[in-house]
Amino acid sequence: MYLPKLFKPDKEYRLIRLGKKNDGGYLVGIQTVNASTHLISLGIKDDWSFEKDFLKQNHIDSVCIDSENILDILKKKFRSDIKSSILSLNLIKLIKNILIFLDYLSFKKKTKFIKKKISTGDLNQLISKINSDKIFLKIDIESSEYSILNEIIQNQKKIVGLVIEFHDLDKNMNVIIDFIKKFKLKITHLHANNFSKVDKDENMKIIEMSFEKNPEVIGNDKIFPNDLDMKNWKRGPEIKFNFYE
């Protein structure tokens, strides 16, 4: 995968993995997690593994926002899986889904959930209500991230860490470059999401990026891939980075 050198972290940073294996996990610095006083997570759907691990490490105020109602998603999936499990006598699948449902009910007690599609102005409104300069943002909102990039920049003095998925790179490369230049937090990690198809030059349409205000340096040169990296799609190809000036 070919990207401008601007995207490459300038050092090797100490990172941990939060979230489940493969898709849903992100690499961040433990010191940044521990320094945070608030977590704002935009885009949950039916995967709260990152948020769950984050709050295990640092039990802080948090809000999770998604355009879909997580409980409705789980109930629909649960009803479908119960039927198929009974018909196929697949008790393991049935038990697994019961445990997922119970895990959600437990996690729901630790955070605030809001059903809302994120649009311009929403992030400003959220952050304006928080009296802290140590907010951590997690953003995975399927291309709607571009509607709030300016708000991230406007509020960067209040942000201590950010993990974000950028979608449709082929259409938005210049926008992302402009964001990186204006956002003063350091890029600490970069990962290609291999769920998207590659073009003739093996470029992906989705990348995951981690930014931190005060990351811990452990080496002078960034090593790809990180030992904690996992392919988002287990059966898909591993994507390597190449950087150009």
Side-chain angles (χ1 to χ4, degrees):
M1 181 175 189
Y2 292 88
L3 287 172
K5 196 172 182 180
L6 180 70
F7 284 71
K8 184 180 180 181
D10 59 354
K11 304 286 184 181
E12 182 72 14
Y13 297 100
R14 189 178 302 282
L15 304 171
I16 61 169
R17 184 180 181 90
L18 298 181
K20 63 183 178 64
K21 294 180 179 180
N22 304 111
D23 196 44
Y26 297 89
L27 271 58
V28 298
I30 185 65
Q31 72 287 346
T32 298
V33 174
N34 288 334
S36 304
T37 60
H38 294 76
L39 170 64
I40 297 175
S41 185
L42 309 182
I44 302 292
K45 201 172 182 180
D46 59 352
D47 179 10
W48 53 91
S49 60
F50 175 85
E51 293 76 12
K52 179 182 175 181
D53 283 353
F54 194 108
L55 295 181
K56 275 185 179 179
Q57 180 62 41
N58 186 5
H59 187 61
I60 56 177
D61 290 338
S62 62
V63 58
C64 299
I65 302 175
D66 198 276
S67 60
E68 298 182 77
N69 187 302
I70 301 173
L71 193 56
D72 289 343
I73 296 172
L74 291 179
K75 284 180 178 178
K76 183 178 180 180
K77 186 175 187 299
F78 191 54
R79 285 193 293 265
S80 174
D81 285 345
I82 285 178
K83 184 177 180 179
S84 64
S85 298
I86 292 173
L87 291 175
S88 63
L89 299 179
N90 189 344
L91 293 179
I92 294 177
K93 183 178 182 181
L94 178 60
I95 292 171
K96 180 180 178 181
N97 281 283
I98 291 173
L99 292 175
I100 289 173
F101 191 78
L102 293 174
D103 186 65
Y104 165 74
L105 294 178
S106 174
F107 177 70
K108 189 173 183 290
K109 298 175 182 178
K110 302 173 183 177
T111 190
K112 181 180 180 182
F113 279 95
I114 298 174
K115 180 186 176 184
K116 186 179 190 343
K117 183 177 180 179
I118 295 297
S119 58
T120 302
D122 288 335
L123 186 61
N124 273 340
Q125 186 175 12
L126 280 167
I127 292 179
S128 68
K129 298 176 181 179
I130 299 174
N131 184 24
S132 173
D133 60 356
K134 295 181 179 179
I135 299 170
F136 194 103
L137 297 180
K138 177 247 180 176
I139 300 174
D140 179 9
I141 48 178
E142 310 302 322
S143 294
S144 292
E145 62 269 18
Y146 298 105
S147 68
I148 59 171
L149 290 185
N150 284 335
E151 293 168 60
I152 296 175
I153 293 168
Q154 291 166 13
N155 290 284
Q156 61 182 303
K157 290 184 178 180
K158 300 184 72 173
I159 298 170
V160 71
L162 164 71
V163 292
I164 183 169
E165 276 199 2
F166 285 110
H167 300 79
D168 301 317
L169 261 67
D170 52 336
K171 301 176 184 177
N172 296 289
M173 182 59 73
N174 289 335
V175 177
I176 301 171
I177 289 173
D178 184 62
F179 172 78
I180 293 173
K181 288 180 177 179
K182 292 178 179 178
F183 194 50
K184 301 306 180 184
L185 275 67
K186 292 183 178 297
I187 299 171
T188 56
H189 191 61
L190 182 69
H191 182 252
N193 186 323
N194 69 339
F195 266 114
S196 64
K197 295 181 179 179
V198 298
D199 63 19
K200 60 182 177 61
D201 296 318
E202 296 188 349
N203 289 321
M204 306 298 295
K205 289 190 175 183
I206 306 173
I207 58 170
E208 302 164 351
M209 300 187 73
S210 301
F211 297 81
E212 299 178 55
K213 183 173 287 185
N214 297 303
E216 181 182 350
V217 178
I218 59 173
N220 289 324
D221 296 311
K222 177 65 180 176
I223 301 171
F224 288 106
N226 188 288
D227 289 341
L228 299 175
D229 274 328
M230 294 183 180
K231 293 187 291 185
N232 296 71
W233 180 33
K234 289 189 288 187
R235 295 188 295 275
E238 183 71 75
I239 306 301
K240 296 181 179 180
F241 288 109
N242 292 288
F243 299 94
Y244 60 88
E245 296 292 344

